[in-house]
Amino acid sequence: MSENLKDLYQEVILDHNKNPRNFRKLEDSNRHSVGFNPLCGDKLDLYLKMDGDKIESVGFLGSGCAISKSSASVMTTVVKGKTKKEAEELLDIFSDMVTGKKQMNDQLVEDFGSLAAFSGVSEFPARVKCASLAWHTLKAALEGQNQESVCTEKED
Amino acid sequence: MDVKTLREDFPILSQKVHGKPLVYLDNAATTQKPQTVIDTLVRYYSEINSNIHRGVHLLSEKATAEYESSRHIVKDFLGAAHDREIIFTRGTTESINLVAATWGRTHLKSGDEVLITSLEHHSNIVPWQMLCQEKGAILKVAPITDAGDVVLDEFKKLLNPKTKIVALVHVSNALGTINPVKEMVGAAHDVGAVVLVDGAQAVAHLDVNVQALNCDFYAFSAHKLYGPTGIGVLYGKEKLLNSMPPYQGGGDMIREVSFQKSTYNDLPYKFEAGTPDISGVIGLAAAIRYFKQWDHHELFAYEQEIVSYATERLKQCPGVRLIGTSATKVSVVSFVMEDVHPHDIGTILDHEGLQSARVIIVRCL
């Protein structure tokens, strides 16, 4: 396997793909949004339980490739307990990372932990949408666009 | 036929992808272009580029002559009765939309039925859905077996006097199934329905003869036959084409124009409004000439040999499940892998130099 591919399919990603965290519908959620990538057929239901401005708990269901599923899983682990503003800041950094706008360095890896595993995506432009789907869906849920469908094709 | 020499006709195949020799397996999406097609496009723009059917100068005469002789080549390729039954479009999708918008809008009324099959590509589903929605007609879908064959008994049961048009694929893009089109056309005609055949995936594999099939319309795209993108063909029986209103209004499709009323041109120009893709049409003819130099049976036999080999080897891979196992299929291999999404397989294969489709579809050159 080439170095690029190893960077893309890191252990963290393979692990989260195989055993996604928070992979469930939240019965007591008060926010729900649906993400859809029509080109891949990836679909994601994201549930949030907000306590005021804070994400108290988060869960997701859906199907997709290893990148999109693991990205959703990792996202749920890092945004839990964060405020809306903090989560949106993470989204911006994540977007910059997967589109190659921000180069990874040791400090970023330390700050963002498992999120940094997605830095390899920047070498695969066709897969940026897979990695970003969960985050765009999160943004919609945070903005209160309940039940609204987020479509990756609107991003272009 | 020597495959190594044949590969050399395609300049794109000599490159390396991620440091590995390119193996292009995504021919069901679009085929690569042989040098002769590329040269034809360059020659057209370098030597005779001009507008057709109107200029009184030499270049226009040359361009018009090549454009119309290309129509004749397409007519022979499809085994049509007349050149005027060949309409140039942007591709299979536009050909189908043309029929839905003209024949469909004229002939369909509330309660009528349109019959398609579960094997259809989106381009042979959505135009009919739109038409049915507009007219209050009903879209019926004939089922397929697990192997990917249309259940013929069910197909025939769905045919009835309310069925006005049957739209079916000649060769399935995803499963490779070759439909028994002649038999299906016969059954549809028995209830008085007209039949459109989507030949996008068939023309590069089968010896198509529209008169032998007796279909009413046949559509295909040049780019799946080693020709340029953005150009395609609609064949229609003359009588039907004559009875249909124009698809688009504009130059070339009219005979006389006044602000009160316009009269329309004869076939095929009635359906070719505006300046067409002249280079594309000439490029398509070059692709047909290139393709026809090979023996059709020899090509098909070689493809079948490769597809049998691929099928056997894939069956030995743990976790692989083949999709589409019809006894009569072209060289498309679709499969899924347990726990591995097709998109991930696609990325990994790409790094091995293999250009495959998202849903892995393999068509061997």
Side-chain angles (χ1 to χ4, degrees):
Chain A
M1 198 186 266
S2 74
E3 286 306 312
N4 273 353
L5 270 186
K6 280 183 199 154
D7 286 346
L8 180 66
Y9 292 107
Q10 292 187 28
E11 278 304 319
V12 175
I13 291 179
L14 296 178
D15 173 47
H16 276 264
N17 176 49
K18 212 166 180 185
N19 306 299
R21 321 296 197 267
N22 303 306
F23 194 67
R24 63 180 184 276
K25 181 181 177 181
L26 287 190
E27 293 304 334
D28 56 350
S29 70
N30 48 20
R31 299 280 174 89
H32 169 223
S33 64
V34 182
F36 187 48
N37 182 343
L39 288 181
C40 316
D42 290 0
K43 203 177 169 202
L44 174 74
D45 276 275
L46 186 71
Y47 303 92
L48 299 181
K49 188 183 178 199
M50 300 295 291
D51 179 10
D53 209 28
K54 194 175 147 195
I55 302 170
E56 195 180 296
S57 53
V58 51
F60 80 102
L61 286 174
S63 60
C65 65
I67 306 299
S68 85
K69 202 168 175 185
S70 61
S71 177
S73 171
V74 170
M75 182 189 80
T76 61
T77 63
V78 298
V79 300
K80 193 175 171 185
K82 297 276 194 300
T83 64
K84 177 174 183 274
K85 189 163 176 287
E86 286 167 340
E88 283 172 349
E89 279 168 9
L90 281 173
L91 186 156
D92 288 340
I93 292 165
F94 185 84
S95 289
D96 285 349
M97 181 176 73
V98 294
T99 52
K101 284 184 195 148
K102 194 185 279 290
Q103 292 301 315
M104 272 292 107
N105 56 41
D106 292 347
Q107 188 59 48
L108 278 174
V109 171
E110 198 172 311
D111 290 353
F112 298 104
S114 47
L115 273 188
F118 292 90
S119 60
V121 172
S122 64
E123 294 296 320
F124 296 81
R127 308 304 299 276
V128 171
K129 280 174 186 164
C130 314
S132 308
L133 178 65
W135 288 89
H136 290 308
T137 313
L138 172 71
K139 190 161 188 264
L142 286 172
E143 286 169 358
Q145 296 173 14
N146 286 8
Q147 309 294 341
E148 283 291 312
S149 190
V150 181
C151 178
T152 50
E153 296 314 293
K154 288 176 190 162
E155 299 298 320
D156 294 334
Chain B
M1 187 186 77
D2 174 38
V3 175
K4 198 161 169 285
T5 326
L6 200 149
R7 272 180 67 92
E8 286 168 5
D9 291 342
F10 294 79
I12 205 168
L13 297 180
S14 63
Q15 71 181 298
K16 288 192 171 176
V17 171
H18 302 300
K20 307 217 166 123
L22 169 60
V23 179
Y24 186 78
L25 298 177
D26 204 8
N27 294 284
T30 195
T31 54
Q32 296 302 344
K33 319 307 170 198
Q35 190 65 51
T36 175
V37 169
I38 300 166
D39 289 346
T40 300
L41 297 178
V42 172
R43 186 182 57 79
Y44 170 76
Y45 282 116
S46 316
E47 296 175 15
I48 63 168
N49 174 54
S50 55
N51 214 331
I52 53 168
H53 296 150
R54 64 191 72 181
V56 289
H57 52 81
L58 182 67
L59 291 186
S60 176
E61 281 169 16
K62 280 187 176 175
T64 305
E66 282 219 30
Y67 183 83
E68 290 305 329
S69 68
S70 300
R71 195 189 304 278
H72 185 70
I73 288 170
V74 174
K75 171 244 164 196
D76 283 346
F77 178 66
L78 289 181
H82 310 286
D83 288 3
R84 55 185 175 275
E85 294 179 323
I86 303 299
I87 315 289
F88 290 116
T89 64
R90 282 192 297 133
T92 309
T93 300
E94 190 177 51
S95 297
I96 297 170
N97 275 278
L98 188 160
V99 175
T102 58
W103 193 93
R105 278 207 185 123
T106 315
H107 291 88
L108 238 71
K109 53 184 194 306
S110 178
D112 282 344
E113 293 177 8
V114 174
L115 178 59
I116 61 172
T117 80
S118 295
L119 286 176
E120 302 313 313
H121 184 276
H122 292 163
S123 59
N124 207 20
I125 301 172
V126 184
W128 306 114
Q129 270 175 343
M130 291 162 70
L131 176 67
C132 287
Q133 203 169 13
E134 183 186 315
K135 292 289 179 181
I138 303 150
L139 186 65
K140 299 274 184 176
V141 187
I144 56 171
T145 63
D146 287 346
D149 292 305
V150 172
V151 185
L152 279 179
D153 284 351
E154 295 295 324
F155 172 81
K156 287 174 183 169
K157 268 188 216 160
L158 286 166
L159 287 166
N160 68 77
K162 282 192 227 158
T163 315
K164 290 293 175 293
I165 188 159
V166 176
L168 56 97
V169 75
H170 198 168
V171 169
S172 155
N173 66 309
L175 307 182
T177 312
I178 304 170
N179 264 332
V181 168
K182 200 173 172 179
E183 185 182 346
M184 295 166 91
V185 169
H189 283 171
D190 285 346
V191 297
V194 303
V195 183
L196 175 141
V197 179
D198 166 4
Q201 299 291 345
V203 285
H205 300 281
L206 308 178
D207 197 7
V208 176
N209 185 304
V210 289
Q211 291 192 81
L213 293 173
N214 198 21
C215 57
D216 301 289
F217 300 103
Y218 197 95
F220 76 92
S221 302
H223 75 96
K224 293 192 199 290
L225 186 68
Y226 314 106
T229 54
I231 189 75
V233 169
L234 172 70
Y235 155 81
K237 283 183 181 165
E238 185 179 8
K239 203 176 150 192
L240 283 167
L241 290 174
N242 270 328
S243 75
M244 286 151 54
Y247 179 46
Q248 293 177 328
D252 250 19
M253 56 74 73
I254 31 75
R255 178 167 292 131
E256 271 185 291
V257 178
S258 76
F259 287 116
Q260 283 72 42
K261 192 182 185 314
S262 299
T263 51
Y264 305 128
N265 206 338
D266 294 331
L267 292 177
Y269 312 109
K270 184 170 91 176
F271 293 105
E272 291 180 2
T275 298
D277 182 355
I278 306 166
S279 66
V281 166
I282 295 170
L284 164 60
I288 291 175
R289 273 196 301 268
Y290 173 80
F291 184 60
K292 292 302 277 186
Q293 71 179 302
W294 311 109
D295 179 73
H296 161 73
H297 297 288
E298 200 181 344
L299 277 182
F300 192 75
Y302 179 71
E303 288 178 354
Q304 291 292 315
E305 185 186 319
I306 298 280
V307 79
S308 305
Y309 175 77
T311 304
E312 282 314 307
R313 292 301 298 264
L314 280 166
K315 274 183 185 166
Q316 292 162 18
C317 299
V320 166
R321 186 162 64 87
L322 291 163
I323 311 285
T325 50
S326 169
T328 51
K329 63 178 277 188
V330 299
S331 43
V332 171
V333 181
S334 295
F335 63 89
V336 288
M337 277 186 86
E338 254 170 49
D339 301 331
V340 187
H341 191 277
H343 224 146
D344 296 313
I345 301 174
T347 292
I348 291 163
L349 291 181
D350 174 54
H351 274 251
E352 295 300 320
L354 292 152
Q355 308 295 293
S356 59
R358 172 172 57 91
V359 180
I360 309 298
I361 296 174
V362 179
R363 216 222 93 186
C364 306
L365 179 72

